[in-house]
Amino acid sequence: MDSSSSPPDPAKLCFESVRTRRLIIASYWAVVLLAIPLWWKTTSIERLSLPTSRVYAQRSRELSFPVSVNVELPGESKAQSLERGLQDALQLSKDAVAASAVDVRLRVGDVKDAAYNVVFDNTNSKSAVEGRELHLSVPPVPETSAQKLADILTKLLAPYSTYSASQLQTQRVMKYSPRYRLAFTLLNEDATSGHAAFAWDVQGAIQGHLGPLLEKLSDLHNFTIESQVQYHAPLAFQPRPVDNDGHQVHGLTQEDLTVFINSAEWTLSSSVSNDPVIHFVLFIPSAKNSPLHILDQQGSIHPSNAFLLPQWGGIVLLNPSSSTQTPIPRLNASDLSPAFATFAHQLLTLLGVPGLPPDVRAARRTGEPFTDWELDALLRRRALENVQGSTETLEAIVRLVDQIENMPVGQDVVGDVQDALNALNEAHESARKSPVETLKHSARALTLASRAFFNPGMLALLYFPAEHTYAVYAPLFASVSAPLIGAVVRELMAWKRARKEAQAKAQRERETEAAGRVGGAKAE
């Protein structure tokens, strides 16, 4: 057979040579090693440093509103004695006053630049406030008036920390927002039953009962008002029949009030907005459930037909009288007056207006919904809540970033945190001058801190732990690296084997050469 037709030796092929094979393997590894910096750059996260020291320094800062109170006395002989007694009495209430961030500075006979003025007035049987002036109905005897004046001032300046029901009131109050939407809804349970109202003069009722109130609250909130009428709003339960003086009525138990709002079938908000909504519902029951009343704990009919849902809104039940034409074509402003007077009171409760102490009445001017004392206390309270909320949110951001090592922190987050800290500094500085400015700065700080906390870039990794990263990259890198590592191991083993064979061959050649030299020497 001709030797030229025999197949070639694979080991002698150029692309099967050891050198070529090793160059190919080295080129794969070169590509992988050169791609690692690019992969690291494209998959790395931006993690800027936060001003942690400034954030934790806010914890030691306390917001304080200096409040100067002037006390006017008919004679100067009792001034020093009353001042000492009043200072001692206020010292006993120091904790309650400090909890409301109020620093009371008492003056006697110095009305200049005083925020509040106290006048002893024996013409009234009960203490009264008018504007920022308190008319005290006790004689200016230091021993008897100092303690009473201190108690009243504490309740007026720090109402949220002195009322026994303050905790319950706090649970009812809406969370602060610069903007609110007030949604007024006329709900007919079943208009086809005949007990229904087809229209209402809601604009006139709002202007008459809520206009002055909203105007006075304009320093705290901006309000957007909307209204609607619904003709079919069925209850999700059946009211309980109750006998009332021989007449059958229907009652709502305390448990029924908690599930009164049928969110599945009622559409109470007609617009799309991120602003918190405060609902006010005027509910007209159907013929089969009319009249509808609220029952107390003993099962008796409660005198009020209105109730409040904490941090949601208020509901008023309207039972058309037997003499009223049904269905009602239109509810005019006089028909709506009792309901909207109740809505106004519910709105004050939901927004946290504290109210006056029981032993103090309001000598209100015409059209004044609440006193300036209450407004100032609400301003200070909301500003304090915003400052505390901003500080807690900023601390939560720092703790979250420290706990999750691969959480991205971009320039937008750092900028919001720094701006929030600057706004907090401005709030502390303006507290000495204006509670309104303090509230604005604190509201801005809370908005910026919340925006930083809920930044989309940070939220993406809240639910993506390191185990998920391993699960994503392990199948990719394992399938690529296994053949490359195996090829390197085989080449190392082949290289070691070839090296040993070469050493053994060289040893044999040296031995053969040495033996030849020895044999030649013997022959000679």
Side-chain angles (χ1 to χ4, degrees), residues 47-60:
R47 188 177 171 88
L48 303 178
S49 59
L50 293 173
T52 306
S53 59
R54 290 184 61 191
V55 170
Y56 285 117
Q58 296 295 325
R59 187 185 304 173
S60 59

Side-chain angles (χ1 to χ4, degrees), residues 69-115:
V69 180
N70 174 61
V71 180
E72 294 185 5
L73 294 174
E76 297 182 359
S77 59
K78 302 175 182 178
Q80 294 182 352
S81 178
L82 177 63
E83 183 177 4
R84 287 194 301 269
L86 188 56
Q87 291 284 9
D88 295 340
L90 287 175
Q91 189 67 26
L92 298 176
S93 305
K94 183 177 180 180
D95 295 338
V97 174
S100 296
V102 178
D103 180 16
V104 180
R105 300 177 180 179
L106 187 65
R107 302 176 181 179
V108 176
D110 183 11
V111 72
K112 184 180 179 181
D113 298 331

Side-chain angles (χ1 to χ4, degrees), residues 192-471:
T192 60
S193 67
H195 278 245
F198 294 148
W200 59 339
D201 186 12
V202 63
Q203 184 174 0
I206 291 175
Q207 290 178 351
H209 292 276
L210 296 176
L213 188 152
L214 300 181
E215 180 66 25
K216 192 155 189 176
L217 290 171
S218 60
D219 288 336
L220 289 96
H221 314 285
N222 291 326
F223 296 96
T224 302
I225 299 177
E226 62 182 37
S227 65
Q228 63 175 333
V229 179
Q230 294 191 17
Y231 302 100
H232 183 68
L235 295 174
F237 58 91
Q238 184 61 37
R240 178 189 300 180
V242 179
D243 183 73
N244 181 35
D245 296 333
H247 301 282
Q248 188 178 29
V249 299
H250 297 81
L252 300 174
T253 64
Q254 300 298 315
E255 292 76 13
D256 293 337
L257 299 182
T258 60
V259 294
F260 183 84
I261 300 300
N262 187 0
S263 302
E265 300 187 34
W266 299 359
T267 304
L268 298 179
S269 184
S270 60
S271 62
V272 178
S273 174
N274 292 327
D275 299 333
V277 182
I278 304 178
H279 296 276
F280 296 100
V281 176
L282 182 60
F283 185 82
I284 300 179
S286 61
K288 69 174 184 177
N289 292 329
S290 183
L292 186 63
H293 297 277
I294 299 174
L295 304 179
D296 57 19
Q297 297 289 349
Q298 290 73 31
S300 303
I301 295 178
H302 197 277
S304 174
N305 257 15
F307 62 96
L308 189 74
L309 292 181
Q311 300 185 14
W312 187 87
I315 298 96
V316 175
L317 307 178
L318 178 61
N319 295 302
S321 62
S322 57
S323 60
T324 304
Q325 176 187 358
T326 54
I328 304 172
R330 181 180 178 85
L331 292 171
N332 55 40
S334 60
D335 298 328
L336 297 173
S337 181
F340 274 78
T342 303
F343 287 155
H345 177 73
Q346 291 174 338
L347 179 60
L348 291 177
T349 303
L350 290 169
L351 294 181
V353 178
L356 294 175
D359 52 348
V360 178
R361 66 179 180 87
R364 289 193 176 97
R365 296 184 289 268
T366 304
E368 187 179 39
F370 54 92
T371 65
D372 293 336
W373 294 75
E374 297 169 274
L375 178 62
D376 294 343
L378 180 60
L379 284 168
R380 292 191 294 265
R381 177 65 176 182
R382 288 302 200 179
L384 179 61
E385 290 177 353
N386 290 342
V387 169
Q388 293 175 346
S390 304
T391 303
E392 294 172 358
T393 303
L394 292 175
E395 291 181 359
I397 294 174
V398 172
R399 290 194 301 267
L400 191 64
V401 172
D402 291 340
Q403 291 174 1
I404 304 179
E405 297 180 354
N406 60 339
M407 172 170 284
V409 180
Q411 186 59 48
D412 51 349
V413 175
V414 176
D416 286 343
V417 171
Q418 292 176 343
D419 291 342
L421 290 171
N422 294 334
L424 284 176
N425 291 335
E426 293 175 355
H428 283 279
E429 294 175 359
S430 61
R432 297 190 297 267
K433 303 176 183 178
S434 171
V436 176
E437 292 298 320
T438 305
L439 178 65
K440 292 180 180 179
H441 293 310
S442 65
R444 183 170 178 268
L446 183 60
T447 301
L448 292 170
S450 300
R451 189 172 70 180
F453 185 82
F454 293 105
N455 186 280
M458 295 180 64
L459 291 175
L461 288 181
L462 279 179
Y463 307 101
F464 198 83
E467 291 79 3
H468 289 190
T469 305
Y470 302 149

Side-chain angles (χ1 to χ4, degrees), residues 118-130 133-139 148-149 152 155-156 163 355-364:
V118 178
V119 179
F120 286 93
D121 187 0
N122 296 326
T123 59
N124 296 320
S125 59
K126 193 175 183 180
S127 300
V129 293
E130 182 176 3
E133 193 169 88
L134 169 63
H135 295 266
L136 202 62
S137 62
V138 296
K148 182 176 181 179
L149 177 57
I152 293 178
K155 293 176 182 179
L156 287 174
Y163 289 172
L356 294 175
D359 52 348
V360 178
R361 66 179 180 87
R364 289 193 176 97

